[in-house]
Amino acid sequence: MTGISRRKLSIGLRMTPMIDVIFLLLTFFVLTAKFQEPEQLLPILMGQTDAHVAHLDSRPMPIRIKTDRVGCVVVVGDQPETLITAENPAKGLLALTQIVQTHIETAGAGPIEIYCDDAVAWDFVVKIYDVLYALGAQNITFRIEE
């Protein structure tokens, strides 16, 4: 075997193709990632309370929001139900505005308690809150029924 020369095989990793593959994968994941959209902030006014100020004995206006197959159903006190649909929410929100305005004119502007089902879409809750806030309600509380 003197005529056959043995080449010494070099065993090692070639890093250049490996780095190219890693950068391609990194680029792919960065460009295809979907990030969570930021939540919209609800306007909340924090007032200072004084211990010497007498609290008014006004009963809160209950608003119940229930889920429906086309949107949500809103019940203000003992008023009839108002349907807010996903296709045309403005129509239902206008009816809700009229009901709340009538209630405020007759009973006065007092605290509002919102009872909301877990299955109601957050978009509807925010729109209803925005309507109440636009009508001048500042004492809005979210409640859960026990």
Side-chain angles (χ1 to χ4, degrees):
M1 291 198 150
T2 57
I4 301 175
S5 67
R6 289 185 156 196
R7 289 188 191 172
K8 192 172 188 179
L9 295 175
S10 65
I11 300 175
L13 294 175
R14 295 186 308 170
M15 293 304 291
T16 305
M18 183 80 69
I19 291 174
D20 290 343
V21 170
I22 289 172
F23 278 122
L24 283 173
L25 286 172
L26 180 66
T27 304
F28 172 76
F29 286 120
V30 167
L31 293 177
T32 59
K34 295 193 187 267
F35 298 101
Q36 183 178 5
E37 294 185 24
E39 294 183 8
Q40 296 178 354
L41 298 176
L42 296 176
I44 298 175
L45 297 175
M46 300 295 288
Q48 296 180 355
T49 59
D50 190 3
H52 302 291
V53 176
H55 293 287
L56 298 175
D57 261 353
S58 61
R59 296 188 58 194
M61 174 176 42
I63 297 179
R64 300 191 186 317
I65 307 172
K66 304 173 193 172
T67 187
D68 190 72
R69 58 182 171 79
V70 294
C72 73
V73 175
V74 181
V75 180
V76 179
D78 56 353
Q79 299 293 320
E81 296 180 344
T82 303
L83 178 65
I84 300 175
T85 61
E87 291 81 29
N88 190 6
K91 180 179 177 184
L93 291 172
L94 180 63
L96 176 67
T97 302
Q98 293 169 348
I99 291 172
V100 172
Q101 276 181 337
T102 304
H103 189 276
I104 289 174
E105 289 171 0
T106 58
I112 296 175
E113 291 182 345
I114 297 177
Y115 298 89
C116 184
D117 288 346
D118 291 336
V120 175
W122 184 245
D123 185 41
F124 290 118
V125 177
V126 171
K127 287 179 181 176
I128 292 168
Y129 183 91
D130 288 342
V131 165
L132 296 173
Y133 189 77
L135 290 173
Q138 295 182 0
N139 190 357
I140 302 172
T141 306
F142 288 89
R143 300 277 185 189
I144 56 172
E145 293 187 76
E146 297 177 2

